[in-house]
Amino acid sequence: MNLSFVVLLPFFGAVLTGWASHFGRMKSAWTAGAVTLLAVLCLAPFAPTPFAGETVLWRLDWMPSVGLDLAFRLDGLGLLFASMILGIGLLVILYARYYLPERDGLGRFYAYLLFFMGSMLGIVLSENVILMLIFWELTSLSSFLLISYSYRKPESRRGARMALAVTGMGGLALLGGLLLLGEMAGSYDLSVILTQGEAVRADPLYTPMLVLILLGAFTKSAQFPFHFWLPHAMAAPTPVSAYLHSATMVKAGIFLLARLFPVLSGTPEWTWLVIGAGLATLLIGAGVALFKHDLKGLLAYSTVSHLGLITLLFGLGTPLAAVAGVFHIFNHATFKASLFMAAGIIDHECGTRDMRRINGLWRFMPYTATLAMVAAASMAGVPLFNGFLSKEMFFAETADFSTGFEYGWLLPSLVVASGVMAVAYSLRFIHDVFFNGEPIDLPRTPHEPPFWMKAPAAILVAICLLVGILPALTVDPILRMTVASVLQAPPPEFDLAIWHGFGLPVVMSLAALVGGLSIYAARRPLFRIAARMEGWLDARAMYEWLLAELMLFSGWITRRLDNGSLQRLVLVLLLTVLVFGVLGFVGSGSPLTGTRAILPIDGVSLTMTAGLILVTLVTVALHRRRFTALVVVGALGLLVALIFVKFSAPDLALTQLSVEIVTIVLLLLALYFLPQRGPDESSAARRWRDAVVAGLAGLGAGVLTWTILTRPLESISDYFIANSLPGGGGSNVVNVILVDFRGFDTLGEITVLALAGLGIHAMLYGLRLPGLTHDADGRPWNWDTHPAIMAALARLLLPLALLVSIFIFLRGHNEPGGGFIAGLITAVALIMQYLTNGVAWTHRRLSSNMLPLIGAGLLIATLTGLGSLVFGYPFLTSSFTHIHWPIVGDFELATAMLFDLGVYLVVVGATLLILIHLGLMHRATHPGADGSHANQEPA
């Protein structure tokens, strides 16, 4: 058992939960809860180590050459966040079971939730910052799915797109910042980075690196000026809001600030940027929250404000400010999650969240009201609740930081003003919802929800009370453990107590309480003023304006470059390449011809070159006669395959030949819907222009090739040749490169091939187009579309072709062949049955659904790579041995063959999927496809 189990369990659980939903919504809920509880149990054995001041590390080499390893760490900060992610996640799973309607199967919701949970755990437990970035982007994707869960609602789609656009932009900035940070520190591992603070801060690239990292953190944690996306993300179901906007997604940026605090803090740049963003966010969120009539809108802007509070504390840069920041991270997670759950209960029972209508609910749901009022009091910073303790520490640290400055009174005054507004909007939450008269025209009669729907909020409220009353016994050890990991040093002395004596922080707290009561008492004229000012300085409007301008600009560029003509696009591409190619040669001072000796010209090479030129010219001359041009292009492909044979590259020759056959079949199917002759669209001047550009491009490519090939080259081929057999267990160097040395590339390529097949399947599924029934001269096509001789011959050749395919596959590790070539041979053999025997005949014997085949291939290839991790080796490390079989003799078994099997299945599945769907488009015009002329199908 290691830390990777904690991170990866939710991802596997997401798949399992989706499958469990087929057996009922309760099965899905139980599965999601069980997976989360299992992750908690996996985390628990490691918890004592951070409390002892040590760090748990687990590492698996992945791509060490680029500094990317599968490495996880658990220290105090990671344990705090992982506990909140799993603990509040478990409560949200229980809450969602009762909140979401009965018609909702829950499988999709819990799958998205676990996907997001795993992504968040990956962020807080990653040792490698590049790995952290991968999980960072996964949270953006999974939160998009959660926010748009009710995708039929326009506001859900709009909020999800906005969140993805803003956080995605921040992710790109963060990528640049982390790459710079890794180069400055000399490693991408946090264990090294956290010890290189002085070197990083002294680096000349510190400021741009800091700005990029802060952009990533600020966009994720909704800091000014990127705060606008969070309120619009409230279109998500309330369980999503309770999870994402209390302890997880919006805390990811805060976590990054805390994680890199000892490396980045302590400079004027850090102080001004982080304090400035935090203070602006604190004030804007607090000011807007009071005037929101939507219950979740009030909580959303209060969340923005509290995130600004935590950011400001880390911006102060002092150890005690870090203590207060960490403390408020925990407190905010507890009271804000419970408040969102209470808001969801009110919406669930009343049918609305409009605080102008949901009045006097104390009489209808006193238990829910009690829970909500306790949580709101904690949010306001009322004594005896956990929010009061961290808010008082916040006041103390801002006052202490401002001492000695000329305008030292300004910062404490502004934070007190934010405290005043916090009390006011918390009081509005309590008074307007649970008192303030009678309900007004509610869609439903409110009542208490089921016990288990209230239980998660009750647990969180109990934590608020326990921490507020007994802080030293409950949260003090957790806080000291976490702060030590944030500072990478022993925590400073601090005392968690309800009363520290009468001092400036107490005065500031009293001022906030009294001011908040006064503001709420005078709220009505303030509401009228706010209504008149609505829309002023709306960041969302600025975002939408910028987006619209970008769309207009991109549309203008597209119209200038793309007028629907393929010739135009090719012309732009060639001219661009020519310009940059010429710029590369100009001013270089190097001769075009290098010192490497030229190979002698032999008759075979000369003949093949002449053939290539001739076939190319014929293709250009006959390109309007589409079928003839296609045949000539096929001959060109055959010549290229012969060139590979001439230069002793049989693998490439086999691949070229197989691809050429599949491509010709593909183009033949597409040509069925096109006229036999292409129109004459080009004028003489245009043809001369195109000829000149094409000639220059060809000349440039030739000059570049000549320049490269006449220079000495240090090739890496010697390494592959020397290590193919001892390292990869195969003497076919090309195949060993594909399935071993560059196996990760191959896995990516078959994934792209699978996605291409799925995309074409989605576009062409069910599409039927009328095909041509007469040739260009008006003569009807031959009705005998499946000649008996050709059909019988194709059936006889099928077993032979499959046998050749198996042979090519099995010998591929040591002789020319392999899964890709074998897959193409199999696909061609099977598609021939469609062409010669017809759709109906073939469908009775072979399913046209190739999706399971593609999925099986990807699964086998991926599991082969993961299998090496089980034995402690890097991903896709191959193993091989030799066994002796009777009759057969010595035979090699290699795990690379399993990977090659995955390649084979994906190639077969994707190729057949594409070709079959292209063929089925004109199925309606084929005799026998719909039951008519069935006697013409081969028997």
Side-chain angles (χ1 to χ4, degrees):
M1 187 71 67
N2 55 59
L3 286 176
S4 65
F5 284 86
V6 181
V7 177
L8 298 178
L9 260 175
F11 291 106
F12 290 112
V15 178
L16 189 61
T17 300
W19 172 77
S21 65
H22 292 91
F23 305 97
R25 68 197 310 266
M26 282 298 294
K27 300 293 189 302
S28 182
W30 278 106
T31 303
V35 168
T36 306
L37 185 59
L38 184 59
V40 173
L41 295 176
C42 291
L43 180 67
F46 302 106
T49 304
F51 276 102
E54 299 176 1
T55 300
V56 180
L57 288 174
W58 179 86
R59 176 184 302 278
L60 185 67
D61 290 341
W62 183 270
M63 288 186 283
S65 59
V66 296
L68 177 58
D69 295 325
L70 193 65
F72 297 105
R73 66 182 280 129
L74 181 68
D75 57 6
L77 183 63
L79 180 60
L80 174 68
F81 270 87
S83 301
M84 291 194 303
I85 292 164
L86 291 171
I88 295 180
L90 193 59
L91 295 177
V92 168
I93 288 170
L94 174 61
Y95 176 80
R97 152 69 182 86
Y98 294 92
Y99 178 85
L100 294 174
E102 289 292 330
R103 64 179 180 275
D104 194 320
L106 295 182
R108 185 166 61 93
F109 176 82
Y110 284 133
Y112 292 167
L113 192 72
L114 290 177
F115 178 26
F116 176 80
M117 181 186 293
S119 304
M120 277 302 305
L121 287 170
I123 289 177
V124 302
L125 296 180
S126 288
E127 157 73 357
N128 186 284
V129 292
I130 304 299
L131 182 64
M132 179 197 295
L133 180 69
I134 293 172
F135 286 114
W136 185 281
E137 293 303 300
L138 287 179
T139 60
S140 295
L141 293 175
S142 52
S143 64
F144 172 83
L145 296 173
L146 285 168
I147 296 169
S148 63
Y149 182 74
S150 304
Y151 56 86
R152 290 183 176 86
K153 298 179 180 179
E155 60 270 22
S156 296
R157 299 194 299 271
R158 185 166 55 247
R161 286 197 301 267
M162 186 182 297
L164 183 63
V166 175
T167 58
M169 178 194 70
L172 289 174
L174 182 61
L175 170 61
L178 291 179
L179 290 175
L180 287 175
L181 177 62
E183 291 301 311
M184 293 178 189
S187 173
Y188 292 104
D189 287 344
L190 285 170
S191 298
V192 177
I193 291 173
L194 295 177
T195 64
Q196 300 298 309
E198 292 185 7
V200 169
R201 290 189 291 270
D203 195 285
L205 292 176
Y206 168 79
T207 300
M209 177 272 298
L210 177 66
V211 170
L212 290 172
I213 289 180
L214 290 181
L215 278 174
F218 289 169
T219 52
K220 203 72 157 184
S221 287
Q223 297 299 291
F224 177 84
F226 310 107
H227 61 284
F228 57 88
W229 71 261
L230 193 149
H232 292 277
M234 292 298 142
T238 300
V240 174
S241 302
Y243 194 44
L244 268 64
H245 305 136
S246 64
T248 54
M249 180 178 176
V250 294
K251 294 285 176 63
I254 300 295
F255 169 83
L256 188 65
L257 296 180
R259 174 58 80 200
L260 299 179
F261 183 80
V263 184
L264 304 182
S265 66
T267 64
E269 295 90 342
W270 167 275
T271 302
W272 284 105
L273 288 173
V274 180
I275 288 181
L279 182 61
T281 308
L282 170 68
L283 295 172
I284 292 172
V288 176
L290 175 65
F291 304 103
K292 287 296 173 182
H293 301 301
D294 179 20
L295 201 54
K296 282 181 68 176
L298 183 150
L299 293 178
Y301 276 100
S302 72
T303 299
V304 169
S305 180
H306 281 270
L307 292 172
L309 184 157
I310 301 170
T311 301
L312 194 157
L313 279 168
F314 281 110
L316 297 179
T318 64
L320 282 174
V323 174
V326 170
F327 194 15
H328 203 70
I329 288 173
F330 175 81
N331 291 338
H332 178 260
T334 53
F335 66 66
K336 190 53 63 70
S338 56
L339 282 170
F340 271 116
M341 290 179 182
I345 290 172
I346 292 167
D347 186 20
H348 189 270
E349 303 304 328
C350 298
T352 180
R353 301 193 303 261
D354 191 339
M355 286 187 287
R356 293 166 296 187
R357 301 169 62 189
I358 48 175
N359 311 130
L361 294 186
W362 170 265
R363 293 191 300 107
F364 300 94
M365 42 177 61
Y367 299 110
T368 301
T370 302
L371 296 174
M373 287 190 289
V374 171
S378 180
M379 179 170 67
V382 176
L384 298 182
F385 300 105
N386 62 348
F388 168 75
L389 298 174
S390 53
K391 186 72 72 71
E392 192 176 51
M393 293 175 73
F394 170 58
F395 287 153
E397 289 309 305
T398 53
D400 184 65
F401 178 84
S402 303
T403 303
F405 288 99
E406 183 178 355
Y407 297 97
W409 54 268
L410 183 58
L411 180 61
S413 301
L414 291 175
V415 299
V416 169
S418 71
V420 167
M421 298 305 293
V423 172
Y425 63 65
S426 300
L427 190 56
R428 187 187 180 199
F429 184 98
I430 295 171
H431 182 257
D432 277 17
V433 175
F434 300 111
F435 303 101
N436 198 29
E438 296 294 322
I440 301 173
D441 194 22
L442 296 182
R444 303 174 194 149
T445 302
H447 56 81
E448 286 288 355
F451 170 79
W452 291 109
M453 190 174 182
K454 292 181 292 187
I459 292 171
L460 294 168
V461 167
I463 294 173
C464 293
L465 282 169
L466 285 172
V467 172
I469 298 171
L470 302 169
L473 296 177
T474 54
V475 77
D476 187 270
I478 299 172
L479 197 53
R480 292 183 185 277
M481 170 199 68
T482 307
V483 170
S485 66
V486 170
L487 299 177
Q488 293 293 296
E493 287 300 320
F494 61 90
D495 180 27
L496 290 183
I498 300 174
W499 179 251
H500 293 96
F502 193 83
L504 183 57
V506 175
V507 173
M508 296 170 75
S509 296
L510 289 174
L513 289 170
V514 174
L517 289 169
S518 304
I519 290 289
Y520 183 70
R523 65 190 181 279
R524 300 197 185 282
L526 294 176
F527 283 168
R528 288 193 291 271
I529 295 172
R532 288 196 295 269
M533 295 175 62
E534 189 172 2
W536 290 16
L537 300 176
D538 188 352
R540 178 189 60 84
M542 296 176 65
Y543 159 81
E544 292 181 346
W545 172 83
L546 179 62
L547 198 62
E549 291 298 314
L550 285 174
M551 294 297 291
L552 288 173
F553 178 70
S554 62
W556 179 82
I557 292 290
T558 302
R559 287 191 297 273
R560 293 295 181 274
L561 297 179
D562 183 10
N563 61 354
S565 169
L566 182 61
Q567 286 177 308
R568 175 76 169 272
L569 292 177
V570 174
L571 177 66
V572 171
L573 174 64
L574 292 179
L575 288 175
T576 304
V577 171
L578 276 171
V579 169
F580 283 102
V582 170
L583 289 176
F585 282 101
V586 172
S588 64
S590 299
L592 291 180
T593 302
T595 59
R596 188 178 180 184
I598 301 173
L599 294 175
I601 300 176
D602 59 276
V604 175
S605 300
L606 194 60
T607 303
M608 287 185 174
T609 303
L612 282 174
I613 296 173
L614 178 62
V615 171
T616 303
L617 293 175
V618 171
T619 304
V620 172
L622 301 178
H623 75 279
R624 300 196 192 285
R625 298 167 60 180
R626 289 182 167 130
F627 181 77
T628 305
L630 183 58
V631 173
V632 177
V633 167
L636 183 65
L638 180 60
L639 276 173
V640 173
L642 292 175
I643 291 174
F644 289 142
V645 172
K646 198 266 180 187
F647 286 100
S648 301
D651 275 285
L652 294 179
L654 282 171
T655 304
Q656 171 67 27
L657 195 58
S658 304
V659 169
E660 195 64 39
I661 294 171
V662 171
T663 306
I664 292 297
V665 173
L666 174 68
L667 292 175
L668 281 172
L669 291 171
L671 286 182
Y672 182 83
F673 302 101
L674 298 175
Q676 289 179 284
R677 295 178 181 272
D680 188 0
E681 299 173 335
S682 302
S683 63
R686 185 173 176 180
R687 284 196 292 270
W688 275 107
R689 181 204 67 183
D690 292 344
V692 170
V693 173
L696 289 174
L699 180 63
V703 170
L704 181 62
T705 303
W706 176 266
T707 303
I708 293 173
L709 294 183
T710 56
R711 279 170 166 75
L713 175 66
E714 293 184 7
S715 174
I716 60 172
S717 60
D718 292 337
Y719 170 82
F720 291 129
I721 293 171
N723 290 277
S724 176
L725 189 58
S731 54
N732 180 4
V733 181
V734 174
N735 184 261
V736 174
I737 290 173
L738 291 175
V739 300
D740 193 322
F741 293 125
R742 303 297 295 271
F744 200 80
D745 291 351
T746 304
L747 180 61
E749 288 161 5
I750 63 173
T751 303
V752 171
L753 179 61
L755 291 175
L758 291 175
I760 292 173
H761 166 76
M763 288 189 294
L764 300 185
Y765 184 76
L767 180 63
R768 297 292 180 267
L769 297 177
L772 299 177
T773 56
H774 294 74
D775 64 9
D777 298 323
R779 293 169 297 186
W781 296 120
N782 188 352
W783 62 268
D784 188 12
T785 54
H786 308 296
I789 295 177
M790 189 170 68
L793 184 61
R795 294 185 214 175
L796 290 173
L797 288 177
L798 178 61
L800 179 61
L802 294 178
L803 187 63
V804 170
S805 175
I806 295 172
F807 174 71
I808 291 291
F809 173 78
L810 292 176
R811 76 197 294 262
H813 209 49
N814 291 288
E815 301 288 342
F820 186 79
I821 300 171
L824 290 174
I825 293 172
T826 301
V828 170
L830 293 175
I831 204 67
M832 282 298 296
Q833 306 309 307
Y834 280 92
L835 295 176
T836 59
N837 293 291
V839 171
W841 183 91
T842 311
H843 271 188
R844 288 195 296 268
R845 294 159 178 83
L846 176 68
S847 172
S848 63
N849 182 15
M850 295 297 151
L851 299 179
L853 200 63
I854 296 174
L858 282 177
L859 184 63
I860 291 172
T862 305
L863 290 179
T864 304
L866 293 175
S868 58
L869 298 180
V870 176
F871 296 97
Y873 291 96
F875 182 70
L876 277 175
T877 301
S878 64
S879 178
F880 57 91
T881 187
H882 290 78
I883 61 174
H884 188 82
W885 286 0
I887 302 175
V888 175
D890 189 63
F891 190 82
E892 181 186 13
L893 287 179
T895 56
M897 292 183 67
L898 283 175
F899 183 80
D900 222 9
L901 176 62
V903 175
Y904 170 83
L905 294 177
V906 171
V907 170
V908 172
T911 305
L912 284 177
L913 188 70
I914 296 169
L915 295 178
I916 288 172
H917 276 294
L918 275 173
L920 289 180
M921 281 200 306
H922 55 79
R923 179 180 174 184
T925 63
H926 277 201
D930 56 358
S932 61
H933 307 289
N935 60 320
Q936 296 175 4
E937 286 288 329

